[in-house]
Amino acid sequence: MQFRAVIGVFLVGLGFCDVTVAQAPTFHAETHLVTLTFSARDGDGHFVDRLNSDDFSVYEDGVQQKVSLFSREAELPLTVGLLVDASPSQEKFIQQHLRDIQVFLNSILRPQDQAFSVCFGDRLRLVSDLTSNSTVVADGLTKFDKGSRDFPELEPDDTRSGGTAVYDAIFASVTEKLAASPGRRKALILFTDGEENSSAHDEIDAIAAAQGADALIYAIRYTQIKHHKLSADNRHGTTALHHISEQTGGRDFDALHVDLPQAFKQIGDELRSVYSIGYYSTNKAHDDTFRKVVIEPHTEGITIRAKAGYYAK
């Protein structure tokens, strides 16, 4: 952001008024506001909801930053994207996806909140656009499951063929939907095994897009285990989903071995129990490098969850 100060000098003569604009230096000031959200829990796993800006310190690449903005807004409206893997490796889980998504929407969506859904394999189809009506979301997913493909595509790409574009689904959902939702808490919920073989964007692109939009990513992982052990693709997908969630301040869950209604409740509680902060980075360079951000609580026993940093675009 640039601010320009122009100083005018006005000379007033006797009997007439002559206005002259004197040459003055132009001053440019670069500001770099970094915003992020974080949640705090105590040693028993309970949310800590009484922090103020003096209860923690923020460091960027090891340099302490001065917090300029701070708030906790439990009622901030949500924009949530539901990304459903419809590739062959997830076919046996589609019906479970639909049931679990309905449970999730019923547990979290309020009239002021919005949700959209994307089904993806090698194509990214927007099966329901932003809406506060959970029935509209469920209907779109059901139509897709029954074979309808009459939905708009996000980031059409003819080079994808027969694969699974997890990273493209994240990137497009953030840049085309979440980034256009200012003043709202933003999150993506992935229903997938994380196996990736078709995206034009890579994992770093997906993470950077989410970090730039201050969007949390939660992964609900459905991994089909054959012969009682994980395949190489399984292990890669599991690791990728954990890393993406961790780097954006979210979490990942093994859908086949956790109480999903309880997991959905945790996600909902977390989205409504986060703090928002902002600071003007002391590093003014816009060099596309990654800046590591650490939020350090002053009280022992408090655990902070937040995105790992951001790219200085």
Side-chain angles (χ1 to χ4, degrees), residues 17-35:
C17 181
D18 186 15
V19 179
T20 304
V21 179
Q23 292 292 329
T26 301
F27 300 95
H28 299 274
E30 293 291 338
T31 60
H32 185 185
L33 178 64
V34 179
T35 60

Side-chain angles (χ1 to χ4, degrees), residues 89-90 93 192-195 221-242 252-257:
S89 69
Q90 291 289 281
F93 297 116
T192 180
D193 56 8
E195 295 180 15
R221 179 169 48 81
Y222 300 75
T223 301
Q224 184 175 0
I225 300 176
K226 297 179 180 180
H227 308 300
H228 308 290
K229 64 180 181 180
L230 293 173
S231 67
D233 286 342
N234 293 156
R235 292 193 296 272
H236 177 78
T238 298
T239 300
L241 291 179
H242 178 74
D252 64 310
F253 300 87
D254 183 347
L256 305 183
H257 296 92

Side-chain angles (χ1 to χ4, degrees), residues 62-140:
V63 178
Q64 186 167 358
Q65 306 292 313
K66 179 181 178 181
V67 175
S68 301
L69 306 173
F70 176 83
S71 68
R72 179 183 180 273
E73 301 177 26
E75 297 307 312
L76 197 67
L78 306 177
T79 296
V80 179
L82 308 173
L83 308 189
V84 182
D85 187 341
S87 64
S89 69
Q90 291 289 281
E91 284 178 344
K92 67 172 292 185
F93 297 116
I94 292 296
Q95 289 299 318
Q96 187 172 348
H97 289 337
L98 298 180
R99 290 192 298 270
D100 293 342
I101 286 171
Q102 190 64 59
V103 170
F104 175 76
L105 292 175
N106 290 340
S107 68
I108 193 173
L109 212 59
R110 306 166 301 178
Q112 64 268 41
D113 299 328
Q114 294 180 326
F116 66 93
S117 58
V118 173
C119 288
F120 67 93
D122 58 353
R123 295 289 185 269
L124 320 176
R125 290 185 169 89
L126 182 67
V127 300
S128 62
D129 209 339
L130 289 167
T131 178
S132 298
N133 189 333
S134 61
T135 301
V136 171
V137 179
D139 287 348

Side-chain angles (χ1 to χ4, degrees), residues 1-7 25-29:
M1 188 179 300
Q2 298 183 342
F3 302 92
R4 174 174 293 178
V6 179
I7 302 174
T26 301
F27 300 95
H28 299 274

Side-chain angles (χ1 to χ4, degrees), residues 32-54:
H32 185 185
L33 178 64
V34 179
T35 60
L36 66 157
T37 60
F38 71 90
S39 62
R41 293 177 182 262
D42 62 20
D44 296 321
H46 300 133
F47 287 107
V48 179
D49 58 5
R50 291 183 174 83
L51 292 180
N52 59 55
S53 59
D54 296 326

Side-chain angles (χ1 to χ4, degrees), residues 198-215:
S198 188
S199 288
H201 300 287
D202 60 22
E203 184 178 341
I204 293 176
D205 291 336
I207 292 172
Q211 290 173 336
D214 204 16

